Amino acid sequence: MTSSNKRSLQAWQSWAIVLGVSAGIYFFPWRPGDLRPEALHMLAIFVGTILGIILKPLPMGAVAMIGLAATLVTDTVPSAEAFSGFSSKSVWLVVMAFFISKAIIKSGLGQRMAYRFIQVFGKTTLGLTYALLAVDLVLGSATPSSTARAGGVMAPIAQALARSYDSYPHEASRKRIGAYLMNCLYHGDSIVAIFFLTAGATKPLAQAIAADFGIEITWMNWFLGALVPGAISLLIVPLAFLLLSPPELRATPQAAQMAQEELEAQGPLSRDEKWTGAIFVLALVLWVTGSWHFLDATSTAVLAVAFLLLVGVLSWQDILGETGAWNTLSWFAVLMMMAEQLNSQGFIPWFSERVAGALAGYSWQWVFVALCLLYFYSHYFFASLIAHVTAMYPAFLAVALAAGAPPLYAALMLAYVTNICASTTHYASGPASIIFATGYVTQGEWWRNGAVMGVIYLLIWLGIGSLCFSLMGWL
């Protein structure tokens, strides 16, 4: 059988599973009397869409469009509501952040920052790693795709550094420094993605779902909640991998020299870099001071993109050609609509009431810890953070609230755990696939490291993170 025929067979098998499960739920003969038929039908289409995203018979955007069509054809959702996700501020925040990210990469500012950090701090392996993570952290505030950040900026630089020390993938030399760098880069990038509401698509999605429960998540309260546990996690990553994947080289003088050569090749700051840097700083200031003025996070992002177009850093062709933004818009809006409909049509309240009733008598603290553990370890069955948060975040948040958990704490902590989940497997997220494909870390090492680091992250975020929430009066 040819590879083309094999892919076609796999696609049909995937569709058979998707349609079989969806039809089984949609036409299920027994329905609780207090659950509306529309809610069960919405659940069927939603589950089918999530299965399609996981099994991938078609790209995610195509699967989402088919799910949208299913809601319309079956009259499960009125057309006016079916397209409501496309007007969501959270969706457009992600789209605008893609354009800001495009400017940072196009202008060369991202690469310049990386090489400048490496030049200053890259004389030892530990210092070099912290330099890479520091750049990732700066870029993360306005890069809504960890995949773009890791694949477009960080991984190529880390690979070049590893090869400069004769550390190559799929060879014993990978342990010289390459395996250490790639492990730290991936886990660090996963933590960076938690810091900012604008650092990935799962964050605005969680924000929008929380809003359906009457919980307001802003750029600033998200950042404040993540600041301390995130900083501790980011500091621990390079130290932990000195034990889990120790590099043979501890001194890296060539890295600083390589960075110097790259900076000299780039020359002085260009006009576009200066404008991008200034607009980037302006956006950060407006995001941080959001409670002092009338511009919310999405309005600030739109303003930043308008400035980038006005000064010529971005052209309209750049906007039209940023396929990642438009692709995200296509599936993100549909998934957000489906999550909202599950709530408004009554399935999420019905589900949370049943689970909360079964958990009656237990303190909300123990219930919440159990939910977080189940939420985290269930990601071994997901190949997409978006699919995971869309499928489980609304139901788990509803159960946590029904058990008595403080609303803002429950919404933020579950959203943080969503991104910690990325540490688990080599297919857990987009950056996982990119960095695993470099060949510096074996699958066994990846899973072992993920298991160890996952426990560390959960202890930090549920332990120290909860203490910080309490000190801020959120718990």
Side-chain angles (χ1 to χ4, degrees), residues 53-54 56 379-385 387 425 427-430:
I53 291 172
I54 294 171
K56 301 178 181 177
H379 194 64
Y380 280 94
F381 301 100
F382 286 86
S384 164
L385 291 175
T425 66
Y427 55 79
S429 66

Side-chain angles (χ1 to χ4, degrees), residues 30-40 43 345-348 350-351 354:
W30 175 84
R31 177 180 58 82
D34 53 350
L35 184 65
R36 296 166 54 198
E38 294 86 352
L40 192 64
L43 177 66
Q345 293 194 14
F347 177 77
I348 295 298
W350 176 87
F351 175 81
R354 297 301 178 279

Side-chain angles (χ1 to χ4, degrees), residues 260-440:
Q260 177 65 33
E261 293 171 358
E262 291 290 341
L263 288 169
E264 290 175 357
Q266 279 190 283
L269 274 172
S270 67
R271 170 190 175 278
D272 283 359
E273 285 179 282
K274 291 176 182 177
W275 273 116
T276 302
I279 294 169
F280 179 51
V281 171
L282 172 64
L284 283 178
V285 170
L286 290 175
W287 279 327
V288 169
T289 59
S291 61
W292 302 349
H293 52 74
F294 61 89
L295 293 174
D296 59 21
T298 305
S299 301
T300 294
V302 172
L303 179 65
V305 173
F307 277 135
L308 290 168
L309 287 167
L310 186 64
V311 301
V313 174
L314 291 178
S315 67
W316 189 243
Q317 289 304 314
D318 290 327
I319 299 295
L320 294 177
E322 185 54 40
T323 56
W326 304 119
N327 179 52
T328 299
L329 173 65
S330 67
W331 55 257
F332 195 2
V334 174
L335 292 181
M336 187 168 292
M337 176 275 293
M338 289 184 176
E340 291 173 353
Q341 288 297 317
L342 280 174
N343 191 35
S344 64
Q345 293 194 14
F347 177 77
I348 295 298
W350 176 87
F351 175 81
S352 64
E353 288 173 8
R354 297 301 178 279
V355 176
L359 296 173
Y362 295 94
S363 69
W364 73 261
Q365 290 90 342
W366 286 112
V367 171
F368 190 72
V369 169
L371 287 173
C372 287
L373 292 175
L374 180 58
Y375 195 56
F376 178 85
Y377 287 105
S378 65
H379 194 64
Y380 280 94
F381 301 100
F382 286 86
S384 164
L385 291 175
I386 284 290
H388 194 184
V389 70
T390 309
M392 302 187 70
Y393 182 81
F396 276 51
L397 178 58
V399 172
L401 296 178
L408 184 61
Y409 169 77
L412 284 175
M413 193 60 71
L414 277 173
Y416 296 154
V417 172
T418 296
N419 288 273
I420 296 173
C421 292
S423 65
T424 50
T425 66
H426 63 294
Y427 55 79
S429 66
S433 303
I434 290 173
I435 296 176
F436 179 72
T438 64
Y440 281 98

Side-chain angles (χ1 to χ4, degrees), residues 89-98 101 136-137 139-150 189-208 217 219 222 287 324 328 331-332 336 385-386 389 415 418-419 429-431:
K89 292 192 299 182
S90 297
V91 172
W92 284 100
L93 173 61
V94 175
V95 172
M96 292 299 117
F98 264 101
S101 173
D136 203 8
L137 184 62
L139 296 179
S141 58
T143 308
S145 168
S146 296
T147 304
R149 194 167 61 246
D189 186 74
S190 299
I191 296 300
V192 165
I194 310 178
F195 269 90
F196 309 104
L197 185 63
T198 42
T202 56
K203 272 65 72 176
L205 179 56
Q207 177 195 39
I217 295 178
W219 195 96
W222 179 290
W287 279 327
T328 299
W331 55 257
F332 195 2
M336 187 168 292
L385 291 175
I386 284 290
V389 70
T418 296
N419 288 273
S429 66

Side-chain angles (χ1 to χ4, degrees), residues 47-98:
V47 170
T49 303
I50 295 301
L51 276 176
I53 291 172
I54 294 171
L55 298 176
K56 301 178 181 177
L58 287 175
M60 186 185 296
V63 171
M65 285 296 106
I66 293 170
L68 174 61
T71 65
L72 294 168
V73 169
T74 59
D75 199 27
T76 301
V77 181
S79 59
E81 295 179 21
F83 294 98
S84 62
F86 291 92
S87 63
S88 167
K89 292 192 299 182
S90 297
V91 172
W92 284 100
L93 173 61
V94 175
V95 172
M96 292 299 117
F98 264 101

